[in-house]
Every structure is written in structure tokens, then in C-alpha cells.
Amino acid sequence: MSLSRTLHLLPRSTIVARRSFSTTAPAFVKAGDPVPDIDLVEGSPGNKVNLAKELQGNGLIVGVPAAFSPACSASHIPGYLNSASLKGAGKVFVVSVNDAFVMKAWGATLDPMNKSGIRFLGDPDAKFTEAVDLSFESTSIFGNNRSKRYALKVENGKVKEAFVEPDNTGVDGEYLS
């Protein structure tokens, strides 16, 4: 039986939700876009960090799906921590849809002496991630929507280059050079 024939059988008080289908590609963050003016958290919920203000020079924002995830902990973030190009990258931030405490613990695990200078920021409500249009539905894995894996090279508050993993799972490349 077709949907239109079935709908008339429902009581008038029934709400029918329709999902629209779109063939339009997502509008991921791209070169020239400003860094979103949204507060993230570092170390504790009260310590706000705004990347639009922090990145008025050169820098890098590295987005990951989850702190302590196997790929991010074993190879993705260590690739940045151990990169010879790190010193010339400017300020470097790792951002994940996690709370400040989790990100602090993860940073301390990966870089216990904080030799790299990389800062680990939480995006607990995913507002930053959504502002750069890089969230993906991952409730079956992480319990909520998370961030795609990405790197944004930033100059003077604007994205110079954007690298986004196409499948949300790969650890494809190093973006400091």
C-alpha cells in the first residue's frame, strides 16, 4: 500500500514526520571562511577559549571524533606531536566533542610534559563542530554526534586550507607541512 493511501488511515491527531532528501553536498568549512567565534573549554568548564580570538596569526585546528579513540591516540595526534614541522605551525589546537576534563586527561596522556605546546580543547555541546559543518551522526558508536576528522590551517583568523577525512574514520595524512 502506498504512503498516501496509508496516511488517510491514521487519526487526524497523528503527527507524521517527513525526512527530506537532498542531493546537495554538505557545505564544509572552506578556505576563506572565518574561524567561528564560539567558546570552547580547556582544562575545566569555566576556562573558555575562543579560537577566533586565539588564531589571529598562524595556527592549526585539528578535529577528531573522540578523545582516547584508538586511531586518534595511537597515530593521528602523535603524528602532530612528533612532527618536525610543529614549531613553525603557530598555535595548534586539538578539538573534540568531549568535555574539558576528558580533553585535559587525554592531552596529559599523549603529551605528559606538554613539550609540544599543543592545546586540547573540548567542544561539549558540538557548537564549534556544527559551525564548521563537520559533525556526523555517530550515536551508535559514541552516543552522540561527533566531529569528522579534519585539519584547518588558519592565517589571521581565516581558514587558509581545510582537510577533511571523507569517511570519518581514516587517518589520512599530516597537515603541518
Side-chain angles (χ1 to χ4, degrees):
M1 186 179 288
S2 72
L3 179 62
S4 60
R5 294 179 123 187
T6 307
L7 289 177
H8 83 278
L9 299 174
L10 296 173
R12 290 203 183 273
S13 61
T14 302
I15 297 173
V16 177
R18 294 182 109 180
R19 293 186 81 159
S20 61
F21 177 76
S22 175
T23 58
T24 309
F28 300 138
V29 64
K30 62 190 176 313
D33 288 349
V35 174
D37 187 9
I38 294 173
D39 287 339
L40 299 169
V41 291
E42 181 177 32
S44 72
N47 189 20
K48 308 290 185 197
V49 176
N50 186 305
L51 294 180
K53 294 177 176 99
E54 288 278 342
L55 290 170
Q56 289 305 307
N58 293 343
L60 187 69
I61 303 169
V62 180
V64 297
F68 292 103
S69 65
C72 293
S73 294
S75 59
H76 185 212
I77 299 305
Y80 290 97
L81 293 168
N82 301 318
S83 173
S85 302
L86 182 63
K87 291 189 189 287
K91 294 180 178 182
V92 179
F93 299 90
V94 174
V95 176
S96 182
V97 180
N98 284 109
D99 63 66
F101 302 119
V102 168
M103 292 302 288
K104 179 180 180 180
W106 192 40
T109 300
L110 293 175
D111 189 11
M113 304 303 287
N114 196 26
K115 289 181 180 178
S116 70
I118 293 177
R119 294 168 63 187
F120 290 77
L121 307 179
D123 183 16
D125 52 11
K127 286 184 181 175
F128 184 88
T129 300
E130 290 168 1
V132 293
D133 199 20
L134 291 173
S135 67
F136 74 99
E137 198 289 315
S138 60
T139 54
S140 65
I141 301 167
F142 298 117
N144 59 346
N145 287 354
R146 293 296 179 116
S147 172
K148 291 180 172 285
R149 191 174 280 113
Y150 65 88
L152 305 177
K153 282 187 177 180
V154 177
E155 284 185 5
N156 302 318
K158 294 198 183 281
V159 175
K160 181 179 178 190
E161 294 179 82
F163 306 93
V164 180
E165 288 292 338
D167 64 359
N168 305 329
T169 60
V171 182
D172 185 42
E174 205 227 78
Y175 308 111
L176 287 173
S177 57

